Amino acid sequence: MLVITSFGIIGGCGSSDGGNAGMGIVVDPIVPAGGDTSIDTRSGFAFDNPAPNLTPELEADHVAGDIDFGDRFVSAPSPVNPGLGPLFNNVSCESCHTKNGRGQPIFQDDNLRSQPLIRVSLPQGTPEFPGGPVPVPGIGTQIQDHAIEGFVPEADIVLSFEEMPGQYPDGTPYSLRKPILTITLADGTPIGQDIQTSMRIPPPVIGLGLLEAISEETLFEFADPNDEDGDGVSGRVNMVWNIVESRTEVGRFGRKANNPNLRQQTSTAYFNDMGVSNPDLRDPDGFSDIDEDTLAKATFYVQSLAVPNRLPTTNPDAGRGEELFYAVGCIACHKPTIVTGQHPDGFTQFSNQTIQAFTDLLLHDMGEGLADNRPDFSANGREWRTPPLWGLGLVRTISGGPANYLHDGRARTIEEAILWHGGEAETAVDGFKNLSAEERAMVLFFLSTL
């Protein structure tokens, strides 16, 4: 099932004298990033394309889903797209996932509204769903910071950043920025110290049907919760609640892998982010703002987006940077190559595909610096899911503006994102830091080609 590179040396082996990097390292051959769903465009609309292997009927469903994904909701009783709110964060799927890419760390903007969201919960109490976070009375598990006319948003959110200077072992300076949230509730009081908060920006939505097709057996094979191989990297599968099936399942979507499938990821986004009830999450009176066809087509849209291939280049720095990426141990979590299994919804287009997503979809302890200290099902307050890296080099191209990385968008560059890694990634980050400036640039160049 798996295509895993065999390599002899990882972990802290990079060095300015050429060291061990590249020695004994076997880099995976480059394959189409998304298997048969790959495309070769690297334009500003590279995330906007249907998988090229869709049948004409499925391509029509994708186009219909694209319309649903972009539909902006308004308050009832409008004849078109009613059902917004009364409390919400934004007005459409696309309003957060701009051009299907990642959102910006911007709250309560006049045009963008709020692209990130703040999850909240209490440390003790009765969870909303078995094993899940405990809702905050009067709020729930997500702050909705916008409201339709006649209603009051749950809170006012102000985001600022604190610069944190640092230095590489070779003396090269850098600066990271730490997000600081000021949350004022509707009654004018600051949010309670006992309330756990977690800021999350929208991730890109390309290639998700492929990730959905990775078998549970593969994920459990990747996992090493007790670090039995002694490499310092564990990796755990999050076990989450399937709302429709009313059972615990493997989680794989969301910043903490807190959703089991794309249908639930989509239905909860409609309900929590836009206040739009749907066939899976209805209003208390049983009403649904959208019908089954809309929910199904919007789900299929994010299942069937194509994945851009790597940037073709003859620059040897890309290959050398990839060797160093392997050598310092980044692939312990960002696994390069995976073969998908059977898609659970029966879409053969995403099944049995050899892909290079650079993820294991597992939870990893990322250290105190990135900790939100808010558990989410099996995930503890220091754990985050390994995000896929395909399309990483297109972040600025897609956004047309500043880049932002990591779960809350704090990192302005890929380099900053690497430097924020801690916990299980500490050895790999130390390996990166101890590379020469030229070698670090090669790693970053390689990542920019993804």
Side-chain angles (χ1 to χ4, degrees), residues 29-328:
I30 297 176
V31 301
D36 292 342
T37 76
S38 305
I39 56 172
D40 288 322
T41 181
R42 303 279 295 180
S43 74
F45 296 96
F47 290 178
D48 280 342
N49 299 280
N53 62 343
L54 298 182
T55 63
E57 293 77 13
L58 289 178
E59 186 165 347
D61 287 346
H62 177 94
V63 171
D66 189 3
I67 294 170
D68 294 329
F69 197 77
D71 274 343
R72 294 185 173 215
F73 287 86
V74 296
S75 56
S78 169
V80 179
N81 300 329
L84 180 68
L87 304 179
F88 62 96
N89 299 107
N90 221 314
V91 298
S92 73
C93 305
E94 195 170 23
S95 295
C96 291
H97 301 277
T98 305
K99 295 165 68 177
N100 297 326
R102 66 190 63 213
Q104 299 286 328
I106 297 172
F107 288 98
Q108 298 174 318
D109 180 86
D110 288 342
N111 295 315
L112 296 176
R113 287 164 289 279
S114 294
Q115 292 198 324
L117 54 84
I118 306 293
R119 303 271 195 216
V120 294
S121 55
L122 294 175
Q124 303 290 333
T126 303
E128 182 178 26
F129 300 109
V134 177
V136 176
I139 297 179
T141 57
Q142 177 173 321
I143 293 177
Q144 294 167 312
D145 59 341
H146 288 74
I148 65 172
E149 186 174 353
F151 290 81
V152 178
E154 292 173 328
D156 181 66
I157 302 170
V158 176
L159 173 65
S160 58
F161 292 97
E162 173 188 347
E163 290 292 330
M164 301 172 57
Q167 191 176 69
Y168 284 100
D170 65 6
T172 303
Y174 61 78
S175 183
L176 306 179
R177 63 174 188 173
K178 177 182 178 182
I180 300 173
L181 285 170
T182 302
I183 302 173
T184 305
L185 300 178
D187 63 4
T189 62
I191 194 167
Q193 294 295 316
D194 61 326
I195 296 177
Q196 301 163 326
T197 61
S198 180
M199 173 181 163
R200 304 173 190 185
I201 64 167
V205 292
I206 57 170
L208 300 187
L210 296 166
L211 301 183
E212 198 168 37
I214 297 173
S215 72
E216 292 184 3
E217 291 77 12
T218 296
L219 299 184
F220 281 110
E221 190 172 342
F222 285 152
D224 183 18
N226 300 314
D227 191 22
E228 293 182 359
D229 62 8
D231 67 351
V233 178
S234 57
R236 299 194 303 124
V237 173
N238 200 357
M239 299 304 297
V240 305
W241 189 249
N242 184 315
I243 296 171
V244 173
E245 301 295 336
S246 295
R247 67 188 183 200
T248 298
E249 293 185 355
V250 168
R252 63 179 74 209
F253 296 107
R255 295 292 186 180
K256 288 193 179 241
N258 58 345
N259 270 311
N261 54 55
L262 290 171
R263 166 99 178 194
Q264 184 162 312
Q265 182 77 17
T266 305
S267 67
T268 54
Y270 269 119
F271 194 78
N272 294 322
D273 301 355
M274 294 178 272
V276 173
S277 57
N278 56 76
D280 292 353
L281 290 166
R282 295 178 179 272
D283 288 336
D285 61 2
F287 183 74
S288 176
D289 292 311
I290 60 173
D291 60 19
E292 170 60 30
D293 185 67
T294 300
L295 178 58
K297 296 286 176 51
T299 301
F300 183 68
Y301 178 69
V302 296
Q303 287 174 321
S304 57
L305 283 165
V307 179
N309 279 320
R310 292 196 206 184
L311 175 71
T313 177
T314 57
N315 188 330
D317 286 358
R320 178 63 172 157
E322 184 169 8
E323 290 178 353
L324 292 165
F325 183 80
Y326 277 58
V328 300

Side-chain angles (χ1 to χ4, degrees), residues 390-425:
W390 48 23
L392 188 67
L394 289 168
V395 172
R396 290 184 187 277
T397 304
I398 299 298
S399 74
N404 53 89
Y405 305 90
L406 298 175
H407 65 275
D408 53 13
R410 69 177 67 190
R412 293 160 290 195
T413 64
I414 296 173
E415 181 180 20
E416 288 185 23
I418 294 172
L419 293 170
W420 269 109
H421 283 52
E424 295 175 36

Side-chain angles (χ1 to χ4, degrees), residues 164 178 365-373 380-384 407 410 420-424 426:
M164 301 172 57
K178 177 182 178 182
D365 181 339
M366 295 304 294
E368 190 59 35
L370 291 178
D372 66 354
N373 299 308
N380 66 37
R382 290 166 57 103
E383 290 179 317
W384 297 96
H407 65 275
R410 69 177 67 190
W420 269 109
H421 283 52
E424 295 175 36
E426 196 73 46

